[in-house]
Amino acid sequence: MTTNATEITVATFNVSMEADNYLPRGQRGDQTELIKRLATGREPQIQAIAGIIQLERPDVILLTEFDYIANPAKGVHALQQNYLAVAQQGAQPIEYPYYYYAEVNTGQPSPFDLDRDGEASGVGADAWGYGFYPGQYGMLLLSRYPIEHDAIRTFRHFKWKDMPEHLETTQADGSPWYEDEAWQQFPLSSKSHWDVPINVNGRRLHVFASHPTPPVFDGPENRNGKRNHDEIRFWVDYISGEQGDYIYDDSGLAGGYDSQSPFVILGDLNASPVEGDAIKAGIQRLLTHPRVQDPKPSSRGAVEHSPDQPHAAHHTAIWRMRADYVLPSKAGIEVVRSGVFWPASGDTGYELVQKRETSSDHRLVWVQMRLK
């Protein structure tokens, strides 16, 4: 998509590549479901995902809901070799020599009854992030440019209690929702938060990646809505100077983002400033942050999908909301253009998004940018 050495296209795409997507409703699996399908090179849903990526050709892309598979030969390498390196639907193969993925909190069992249903099952809503096996709904970052692995910061183990003025979750009588022993161990990130520096022809670009929990599937206590808000707020504080001094990463290094290098915030944030069930103050603060640009990508397909909704042009999910974001910093970045891969009926590529089962219930979101 880009030819100028100072221009790159950065994208995010929730690809629904986890066990629940491949099994009949109610059946439970694990990473082996994805491993089997990656190995064949013939899974139609993954072929469609690869075809979309090949058509849009981003230089850097974050895939959310890509199961964490510890053996890269069975995970990221299989995706690259069996799908991305193979022409899909007439598109050209694409290569990403560099990648980063790591463990996430989803499916990591806790010993506590976190949803207060009377049973500490260790899975589902009783895991540290909702999931039925460790690594479910993971994240994968692919890049055409070198990743500076020694400078990566991750925040998977940052404790929610350590965020000043975090949103408190209480029961109907006002007592804490989470028992104290659980609260002392509770991570903020439902998956993880990553700060991944990429070397773009000598220029450093930081990718801030996350996938906050959906702000639903709870009760009046709104525990998921509050966690979603604070997972988004994490980035607000991280880029706000001394406001982020309380943050510590998984190696114990304290402090927020203190670099002048440009950055881009990526991911399925599961929140819209104008629609849906999220506590909107979190995403609103991020989108209006003085260091952040909001290019507001749009598509013809989204308008066709929801012609009666005023904000439809900016939707990124078939359930009629803007949920997925590529937000460049103001410093060091000029936005060239942006978009959502959501063709209208009759447009090239429409067959790749015609049904939820065809590819995903989310759309690929991209921003072409020029590094100054």
Side-chain angles (χ1 to χ4, degrees), residues 1-303:
M1 181 176 287
T2 54
T3 56
N4 190 310
T6 64
E7 288 186 2
I8 64 168
T9 297
V10 180
T12 189
F13 194 6
N14 181 322
V15 292
S16 294
M17 291 171 65
E18 45 82 30
D20 287 354
N21 190 56
Y22 302 114
L23 294 173
R25 185 178 294 273
Q27 289 190 20
R28 295 297 178 194
D30 57 22
Q31 290 97 333
T32 58
E33 298 301 328
L34 180 58
I35 290 170
K36 288 187 294 186
R37 288 159 175 82
L38 288 173
T40 69
R42 297 189 300 272
E43 170 62 40
Q45 184 256 354
I46 304 178
Q47 288 177 322
I49 293 293
I52 292 168
I53 294 171
Q54 289 174 355
L55 286 171
E56 288 300 304
R57 311 194 73 75
D59 299 295
V60 177
I61 183 169
L62 175 70
L63 305 183
T64 56
E65 294 196 10
F66 182 95
D67 276 355
Y68 174 72
I69 299 168
N71 183 345
K74 296 182 177 181
V76 58
H77 294 171
L79 172 67
Q80 292 172 319
Q81 295 164 9
N82 300 337
Y83 289 93
L84 295 175
V86 178
Q88 309 289 347
Q89 290 88 19
Q92 294 298 310
I94 192 166
E95 180 182 0
Y96 292 100
Y98 309 99
Y99 67 88
Y100 179 76
Y101 73 156
E103 290 185 278
V104 290
N105 287 325
T106 33
Q108 295 289 346
S110 87
F112 306 104
D113 180 14
L114 298 179
D115 63 354
R116 289 193 170 271
D117 69 349
E119 179 185 3
S121 67
V123 298
D126 287 336
W128 289 121
Y130 182 89
F132 288 88
Y133 53 90
Q136 190 173 17
Y137 311 114
M139 305 191 297
L140 168 64
L141 184 69
L142 299 172
S143 175
R144 287 174 159 176
Y145 295 96
I147 292 173
E148 300 179 4
H149 285 266
D150 291 344
I152 292 173
R153 299 183 72 188
T154 65
F155 305 89
R156 176 184 162 213
H157 298 298
F158 175 83
K159 299 297 185 287
W160 194 356
K161 68 179 179 65
D162 293 332
M163 172 178 274
E165 300 180 5
H166 59 263
L167 298 186
E168 297 183 3
T169 306
T170 59
Q171 301 182 68
D173 63 2
S175 61
W177 178 268
Y178 300 109
E179 56 184 290
D180 185 65
E181 188 178 358
W183 181 241
Q184 294 304 313
Q185 301 178 45
F186 208 113
L188 171 65
S189 294
S190 55
K191 284 84 177 174
S192 190
H193 285 65
W194 297 342
D195 174 350
V196 182
I198 296 176
N199 186 323
V200 183
N201 296 332
R203 296 176 174 86
R204 176 180 273 190
L205 174 69
H206 283 257
V207 171
F208 301 157
S210 64
H211 182 190
T213 192
V216 289
F217 311 120
D218 48 20
E221 81 289 344
N222 199 19
R223 66 185 190 278
N224 290 335
K226 292 174 180 178
R227 191 180 191 182
N228 172 274
H229 173 280
D230 284 354
E231 286 193 76
I232 294 171
R233 185 197 140 189
F234 176 92
W235 292 127
V236 174
D237 293 348
Y238 190 64
I239 61 175
S240 296
E242 294 180 358
Q243 188 172 311
D245 284 352
Y246 69 88
I247 294 171
Y248 52 86
D249 63 28
D250 293 335
S251 67
L253 180 64
Y257 187 63
D258 62 359
S259 172
Q260 297 304 308
S261 297
F263 61 81
V264 57
I265 300 170
L266 288 181
D268 172 4
L269 301 187
N270 272 312
S272 162
V274 292
E275 297 168 307
D277 298 310
I279 300 173
K280 295 177 177 55
I283 189 66
Q284 288 170 348
R285 288 175 64 189
L286 182 62
L287 295 178
T288 59
H289 193 285
R291 296 189 69 180
V292 171
Q293 301 184 68
D294 178 15
K296 281 190 178 178
S298 61
S299 71
R300 282 169 28 90
V303 175

